Amino acid sequence: MSRGATPVDPDDGLTTKERRNRPVLMVNTGDGKGKTSAACGVALRAWAQGWPIGVYQFVKSAAWKPGERDALLALGELRGDVTWERMGTGWSWSKATDPSDARAAAVEGWEAIKAGLAEERHRFWLLDEFTYPVARGWLDLADVVDTLASRPGTQHVVITGRGCPQEIIGIADLVTEMSKIKHPFDKGQRGQAGIEW
Ligand code: ATP
Ligand code: MG
């Protein structure tokens, strides 16, 4: 579909080229596996374009050490500009917030993202597991929606996490729901290296 005809001819006054370069807000939600890993797959594509990439993981555990982080940071060393921040370990810029205070850390992370969006710090943003602080009411939903909807320039944003609030789905351009058909966890199989991290 992306290269061929689309089902509708948009009446938006844009040229095909302009339409191809529009900023996309993407959501990977649902209960099935693949939300973060698919988002990181798109980040690889963004890296290949030479775009500055910012990944902000809203995970609580400092023990979570996903391989995709090592991989993208290594690519960033090779060329380009890759930032990877994790809430559970304490945001690298923060000296104030105790990372075990998940709520305060999430608020602080969102404030930095907001400032970064305003100054177009990255071209590709991955807000991983971002649905949780929003769904828990730690972040102001109206502020999140307004900020994302009015972000300047051509900043692509991918949000992952289960239970994405409808208000975010409402302003998103591309929403995928991962649905579980089978998962080894159901048979008591825990996560494994190379597959889950
Ligand atoms: P991945 O990072 O592998 O793309 P994800 O981002 O879709 O997974 P999360 O909700 O962030 O999934 O959960 C992370 C972990 O939980 C992963 O190790 C994943 O395999 C596991 N997981 C995902 N979906 C399920 C499920 N339906 N049942 C049990 N475990 C799951
Ligand atoms: Mg995930």
Side-chain angles (χ1 to χ4, degrees), residues 169-183:
I169 289 177
I171 57 157
D173 305 288
L174 204 176
V175 181
T176 300
E177 179 164 40
M178 308 294 177
S179 59
K180 188 194 75 171
I181 294 179
K182 283 172 105 173
H183 193 291

Side-chain angles (χ1 to χ4, degrees), residues 34-37 64 128-129 132 160-161:
K35 298 174 289 295
T36 298
S37 42
W64 186 245
D128 191 41
E129 318 300 345
Y132 302 109
T160 78

Side-chain angles (χ1 to χ4, degrees), residues 28-156:
N28 290 348
T29 191
D31 292 336
K33 173 174 159 61
K35 298 174 289 295
T36 298
S37 42
C40 289
V42 185
L44 290 180
R45 294 175 174 171
W47 175 82
Q49 294 296 323
W51 297 347
I53 293 171
V55 181
Y56 296 78
Q57 281 194 302
F58 286 77
V59 288
K60 284 193 272 181
S61 167
W64 186 245
K65 295 198 169 64
E68 58 268 29
R69 176 172 175 271
D70 291 349
L72 264 167
L73 287 175
L75 287 173
E77 292 288 314
L78 205 61
R79 78 177 154 80
D81 173 6
V82 177
T83 299
W84 193 300
E85 291 280 351
R86 284 186 299 166
M87 186 175 94
T89 55
W91 306 113
S92 68
W93 69 83
S94 172
K95 304 229 170 352
T97 305
D98 171 4
S100 68
D101 182 349
R103 183 182 183 132
V107 169
E108 196 188 21
W110 169 243
E111 288 305 323
I113 289 164
K114 228 175 125 171
L117 284 167
E119 63 185 46
E120 301 181 43
R121 191 171 299 156
H122 311 293
R123 176 93 187 258
F124 180 90
W125 295 75
L126 169 50
L127 312 185
D128 191 41
E129 318 300 345
F130 184 65
T131 57
Y132 302 109
V134 182
R136 284 185 190 128
W138 294 352
L139 307 180
D140 183 69
L141 179 57
D143 178 40
V144 168
V145 167
D146 284 354
T147 303
L148 291 172
S150 64
R151 69 194 186 285
T154 309
Q155 301 184 82
H156 302 294

